[in-house]
Amino acid sequence: MSTPAPAPAPTLDPLAILKGLAALRKLAGTYPPGHPMIGQKLKEIGDLVADPLREGGPIRIDVIRGDIYLDEVASSSAQQGNQPLVEQLTALGIDSIHIHQGVELDEFLAVAEFLWRHAETGEAVSNQLASRNVRHITLGKLLPLDTKWRYQQWPDAPTGPLDPDYAESLMMAQQTFENTSAGKPLDVVTVRDLVQLLIYKVARSNAALGQILAVKQYENLTYCHSVNVAMLSLLLGKHVGLSDAMLAALTEAALLHDVGKTQIPLEVVKKPGALDKAERKLIESHTTLGAEILVQAEGLHPLTPTVALEHHRGVKGGGYPDLGDAIPHPMSQIVSVADVYEAITGARSYQAPTPPERACLILARLAGDKLNTALVKTFVNAITFFPLGSLVRTTRNELGLVIETGRGEPLHPVITLLDEQSYSPIGRLDTATRDSSGAYERHITETVAPPDGLDLRHLLEPARAA
Ligand SMILES: [Fe+2]
């Protein structure tokens, strides 16, 4: 029944690529940049990958239990005499190299230099490659037990240009969570500053809100997730008319709702697929562990530990931890909605992120049993998922700038279509337009980060006036 996977291009020898990279790694560590031997090796690698990439790519080389696979097919030419090379790569924590169309020779050199120094730093591979401008080569680990599920290496935090206040709040949250993870007491002063920054700066920035509401192409395990959930809870709290004092309490509670995860080993938090009973218990304990940390911290709002304890409880009871028939506090219910939306619009090692529109459908499905229906309705109907000035892509692969929202169509704004190369405006489009059957003609699939240094605000006013 199943269609056989297309055979890899016959000219491609994954072992040759791996050997080339290993040789380049040594050369990059031995000779100065620009040395002719480096240039020669780069050219050899470039020649090896040119043809297969021209056919569409990507080239996926994985090492599974010591054997080299090309595009998920064991490479017969590569089984002989490859042991030292494979060991060298796996010793570096690398057993997956994917090369995408558009790769430049400089990227191979940057990867080789990275591999040379890799053992010396503890920073995430994806971040280190991004900082070296490597955009078309990914290095990663495969899941040791289930080789059918490819471990996808997502960045741990947003990449690309970030709203400055949002970037600062992420840094503050990272510091706070890392300290807590290292066993230090919670820094309540920083938490308070962070809550102020979120309420008075980040919540007023369309750019920041766009970055938080969009599909998130990164695996935000705790601190980014916490900042994002705090912002989404704040938005939802505003829409249901909470007072300023309660909004501050809500933002603080949302920011710290998952603080218990700092006490759980990362490999359990990140583990894809089914967890065994002990692992599940451990994960679930982040609610009680968090509440314990927060009860001990002086100067927090009394509801903050409550929200940490209750945010995985359903509105009809159920969920975890077991608290009998207790119904979660309304503040916990707000954080639950924000938490679910944030989690599914972010990436996981085993799952691509879900676009906002589908995420809203998932929320709707959970409403009534797990989530509060009125809160889900408010969230889905009142939050502007693509704020003014967001750069978005549609299901028809159009690129556009959001120029009008708030027409009762939170997922379907009016956009100015932009030219892919020059970003100059080429027309106006209402994404809420429906076809003869009543279905939307197009949906927004993602929010796109504008290229570095490009400011599209000047397009906003004339476009809206048009
Ligand atoms: Fe949680």
Side-chain angles (χ1 to χ4, degrees):
M1 289 294 284
S2 64
T3 330
T11 50
L12 183 61
D13 178 0
L15 184 60
I17 294 177
L18 290 182
K19 276 185 172 164
L21 266 176
L24 187 62
R25 171 178 175 265
K26 271 201 186 136
L27 292 171
T30 314
Y31 296 105
H35 192 281
M37 285 180 72
I38 295 181
Q40 174 59 34
K41 189 55 71 184
L42 274 176
K43 191 181 169 303
E44 283 172 30
I45 297 176
D47 290 343
L48 280 174
V49 299
D51 277 340
L53 285 180
R54 209 171 293 129
E55 285 168 25
I59 298 170
R60 296 178 299 180
I61 303 171
D62 299 305
V63 177
I64 302 173
R65 288 185 294 270
D67 293 329
I68 298 173
Y69 284 64
L70 174 65
D71 292 333
E72 300 182 359
V73 179
S75 168
S76 54
S77 70
Q79 304 306 317
Q80 302 295 321
N82 59 24
Q83 220 42 43
L85 176 64
V86 165
E87 275 169 14
Q88 192 187 344
L89 282 167
T90 47
L92 292 166
I94 306 297
D95 41 19
S96 151
I97 298 178
H98 295 185
I99 304 163
H100 298 263
Q101 222 174 13
V103 68
E104 306 266 348
L105 289 185
D106 279 347
E107 292 180 74
F108 285 108
L109 183 57
V111 166
E113 286 169 352
F114 159 79
L115 289 173
W116 183 256
R117 293 174 218 283
H118 178 47
E120 296 167 20
T121 89
E123 205 197 333
V125 171
S126 51
N127 289 352
Q128 294 193 57
L129 290 182
S131 70
R132 289 165 187 265
N133 273 329
V134 176
R135 307 253 174 263
H136 302 90
I137 304 176
T138 51
L139 302 179
K141 287 198 74 61
L142 289 172
L143 288 176
L145 295 178
D146 187 348
T147 51
K148 281 182 295 185
W149 252 346
R150 190 175 294 282
Y151 180 102
Q152 181 152 2
Q153 191 86 37
W154 302 92
D156 295 329
T159 52
L162 280 189
D163 172 85
D165 293 319
Y166 179 42
E168 191 187 342
S169 58
L170 289 177
M171 265 169 49
M172 287 167 77
Q174 182 175 22
Q175 196 61 49
T176 309
F177 280 85
E178 276 177 4
N179 285 342
T180 316
S181 173
K184 295 186 189 156
L186 184 71
D187 178 357
V188 176
V189 175
T190 304
V191 167
R192 209 169 294 153
D193 288 347
L194 182 46
V195 167
Q196 297 296 307
L197 179 64
L198 293 175
I199 294 177
Y200 293 105
K201 296 252 183 92
V202 183
R204 294 178 182 177
S205 159
N206 271 342
L209 297 181
Q211 285 161 356
I212 291 166
L213 285 154
V215 156
K216 290 166 280 277
Q217 303 282 355
Y218 55 92
E219 190 169 4
N220 49 343
L221 285 161
T222 300
Y223 73 93
C224 298
H225 171 68
S226 301
V227 167
N228 294 349
V229 170
M231 286 309 306
L232 297 173
S233 300
L234 176 59
L235 283 184
L236 183 50
K238 277 185 180 174
H239 278 289
V240 296
L242 294 187
S243 67
D244 285 352
M246 286 311 279
L247 286 175
L250 174 65
T251 309
E252 176 188 286
L255 189 61
L256 298 171
H257 75 284
D258 260 353
V259 75
K261 282 200 180 153
T262 59
Q263 312 297 302
I264 296 172
L266 194 60
E267 58 271 23
V268 179
V269 175
K270 281 186 88 157
K271 188 180 170 187
L275 299 172
D276 66 33
K277 209 171 168 192
E279 290 166 334
R280 180 160 295 282
K281 278 256 169 296
L282 196 55
I283 284 284
E284 293 183 355
S285 72
H286 81 275
T287 49
T288 45
L289 289 170
E292 278 167 26
I293 292 173
L294 298 171
V295 162
Q296 283 161 22
E298 261 176 61
L300 295 177
H301 192 280
L303 278 174
T304 298
T306 308
V307 169
L309 185 70
E310 294 182 337
H311 72 277
H312 286 286
R313 299 267 312 158
V315 284
K316 295 220 169 122
Y320 62 86
D322 186 357
L323 301 172
D325 293 334
I327 301 299
H329 189 281
M331 299 280 262
S332 308
Q333 297 187 19
I334 292 176
V335 173
S336 294
V337 173
D339 183 26
V340 173
Y341 176 86
E342 212 295 316
I344 51 187
T345 50
R348 291 289 178 265
S349 56
Y350 48 94
Q351 180 185 300
T354 304
E357 187 152 4
R358 262 206 74 214
C360 286
L361 288 175
I362 295 174
L363 287 187
R365 224 176 289 147
L366 296 171
D369 189 19
K370 181 165 168 39
L371 301 175
N372 176 312
T373 306
L375 288 174
V376 169
K377 272 191 185 158
T378 307
F379 188 84
V380 171
N381 294 327
I383 304 286
T384 302
F385 290 90
F386 305 106
L388 280 184
S390 314
L391 197 57
V392 295
R393 193 167 289 286
T394 72
T395 38
R396 295 191 177 186
N397 206 18
E398 297 143 327
L399 180 69
L401 181 76
V402 175
I403 54 165
E404 196 179 329
T405 59
R407 310 162 303 144
E409 292 277 7
L411 289 155
H412 290 89
V414 178
I415 62 178
T416 285
L417 287 174
L418 298 177
D419 179 80
E420 295 278 346
Q421 257 72 47
S422 64
Y423 289 86
S424 45
I426 49 174
R428 179 189 166 96
L429 179 76
D430 186 350
T431 63
T433 307
R434 292 167 186 267
D435 62 20
S436 53
S437 73
Y440 287 111
E441 285 185 353
R442 53 174 67 66
H443 304 277
I444 306 276
T445 51
E446 58 175 340
T447 303
V448 185
D452 251 334
L454 183 72
D455 186 353
L456 293 167
R457 270 176 299 185
H458 66 283
L459 287 177
L460 218 46
E461 282 316 310
R464 294 177 73 193

